[in-house]
Each structure stands twice: as C-alpha cells, then as structure tokens.
Amino acid sequence: MRVGVIGMGSMGMGAALSLLRAGQDVTGCDMREAARAEFAAAGGRAVASPDALPEGTEALVVLVVNAQQTEAALFGEAGAAPRLAPGAVVLSSATMAPDAARALAAKAEAAGFLWLDAPVSGGAVKAREGAMTVMASGSEAAFAAAQPVLDAIATKVWRLGDQVGIGATVKVVHQLLAGVHIAVAAEAMALGIRAGADPRQLYEVVTSAAGNSWMFENRMARVLEGDDAPRSAVEIFVKDLGLVTDMARSLDFPVPLAAQAQQLFTAARGMGQGGRDDGFVIRVWQTLTGIKLPGEG
C-alpha cells in the first residue's frame, strides 16, 4: 500500500517507522531536515512538502499539531490532495475540535476521499513500537481502507461510531485528563521537594501506591533526571486544554480543573518553557517557591 505520513515528530516518526516495518510503501513528509534524514536512514523515503508525495498515494496519515495545519497539509498551496489516488483514505490524527474534524471531513469527502477521524495516544515509545491507541470514527469504507495502516501503527483501535467528530471528542476529553494529571503530578512533586522530602524516594513511594498515575510515573521520571527534551511540549497542552475549555463552553459545562491546568501551562510558556517537555510545567512552582529541581545543578 502506498502510504504517506505528514508530520514526523515524536508520534509521526513512530507511525512512519512502524508502517515501514510492516512492509508498506511509505513516504514521510516533514519540513525538518533532521527528521527526513532519520527516516531515510531507516530505509524510508522522505520529502519536505506534501505536494512532493508520490502520485497515487492510497492512504495518508496526518500527524501535525492542529486543524489548521491539517487543512494546509491537504488543501493548502502545497497540499497533498492532488497527489492522492481517487478514493484514498485520510487518517486525521491531530488533536482538534469536533466541529473542525467534521468540516475537514466534508471538504475531503467532496474531493472524493475517505476520512477517518483518528486521534492517537501512547507517546513516542509506543508509536515506535507500533503500539499506539487510536480513537477512531468514520464510515465502514474508511475503516476498511485504513485497516492496513491501523494494523501497523496501533495495538488498540477504538471504533467509536460512523460519525466523524466522535473520535475528536473522545481525544479532547482524554486530553483533559492528561493535562490535569501532568499538572497535578508536577504540583505534588514540587510540594514534596519544598517540604523536604527526597524526590527520588517520593517518586518510588507514589509509583508503588494508590496515588500513582501513568503521567506521574512517566513525566516525573524525566523531572528526576532533569531531562526536559520535549516528547510532548508544554505548548501542546496550552492548545489542547484550550480545546477542552472551548468545547465545554459551547456545552455550558464547567471544567474548573482543566481551566486551572491550562493556566499553569500558559504560565510555563510565558516563562519561556513552551518548547520544553510538558512535565516541566513544574518550573512554575520552582519560580514561585525557589525549590531546586533534581538534575539541575
């Protein structure tokens, strides 16, 4: 199957490599030369612009940041749409508002393409293992066309219905939990440090007890090492928690915890930490209280 992957960040690179291992004919697309070089070194083809994808591409995975980038990747001046085969399936995997997902699907379907609303989760490690979770909705035809791609990139595919927008809705709710969990993990670690607890012992206790969460275990491990290289950046949760609050506002639904978490990520970005790993939202507390973080000298 001729497959394109637009956006070879931490998740997109994993998806592209997993498709390559599965024997698919994969072309990755990313404006960053380093990403293209990494994929080429693994045996894949890589291009800098969506309009350079191979003609007749049958499936396209779009793993960019948001709806605006997704639309540009497909229908912009240098978009991929003219390179797609008639009836090709697009797997839209950026986190976006449900209304945006529906609008993009309508535009793609009018152009003769199938659309799968297919946000993903799992992190960079799972992506490289071909073990992501996909929260998908779309027509039976879209699921059938996308099956070889889904088989390669995911170990769990949730079929959430035939209406585009349901996948996006579930991902937005998921991001509410993810963002709040990261923020409270950082708050707890910062409080422990300020109170004099050894951060490594605190980590060991929490990860063996009922208060643990996947986000505490994953993100605070990097805080302990002072490793703020972004797997998922602070600014991503400024955006994603904004989607949560926007969706909730449209439903007259209060989300006070999500709103507070968004303010913390916004504060971290305002401090110049937007490009750092999202667990380093802990630097908000560091700035406020003067605590010394592990691994920072």
Side-chain angles (χ1 to χ4, degrees), residues 26-233:
V26 190
T27 302
C29 175
D30 200 290
M31 65 177 64
R32 295 169 301 137
E33 184 177 353
R36 298 196 303 273
E38 179 181 352
F39 190 56
R45 291 189 305 274
V47 297
S49 177
D51 62 357
L53 288 170
E55 187 172 355
T57 294
E58 300 164 275
L60 184 66
V61 182
V62 186
L63 259 166
V64 293
V65 171
N66 54 29
Q68 291 76 18
Q69 289 188 8
T70 300
E71 183 168 23
L74 284 164
F75 303 114
E77 187 174 334
R83 311 300 292 174
L84 301 184
V89 63
V90 178
L91 290 81
S92 172
S93 297
T95 303
M96 65 181 71
D99 286 346
R102 286 186 282 265
L104 283 170
K107 191 170 183 177
E109 288 163 1
F113 306 128
L114 297 168
W115 188 271
L116 198 66
D117 180 16
V120 297
S121 184
V125 172
K126 292 289 188 183
R128 285 177 180 261
E129 293 173 351
M132 292 192 291
T133 294
V134 181
M135 311 161 208
S137 62
S139 67
E140 286 293 331
F143 271 107
Q147 196 62 54
V149 176
L150 296 171
D151 288 343
I153 69 173
T155 52
K156 183 63 180 180
V157 178
W158 290 98
R159 297 183 64 136
L160 301 172
D162 59 3
Q163 298 300 311
V164 168
I166 302 172
T169 296
V170 171
K171 181 60 187 291
V172 170
V173 173
H174 175 275
Q175 293 305 87
L176 185 162
L177 289 165
V180 169
H181 285 179
I182 293 168
V184 77
E187 183 176 285
M189 179 62 78
L191 176 62
I193 292 170
R194 178 60 183 269
D198 178 274
R200 293 186 182 277
Q201 288 185 332
L202 175 62
Y203 178 85
E204 290 170 4
V205 170
V206 171
T207 55
S208 69
N212 191 33
S213 69
W214 190 92
M215 286 300 188
F216 183 94
E217 188 164 348
N218 182 266
R219 297 320 201 256
M220 292 306 103
R222 299 205 282 267
V223 168
L224 289 177
E225 299 304 319
D227 179 9
D228 67 359
R231 286 74 163 180
S232 172

Side-chain angles (χ1 to χ4, degrees), residues 6 88 98 252 262:
I6 299 178
D252 294 326
Q262 188 194 23

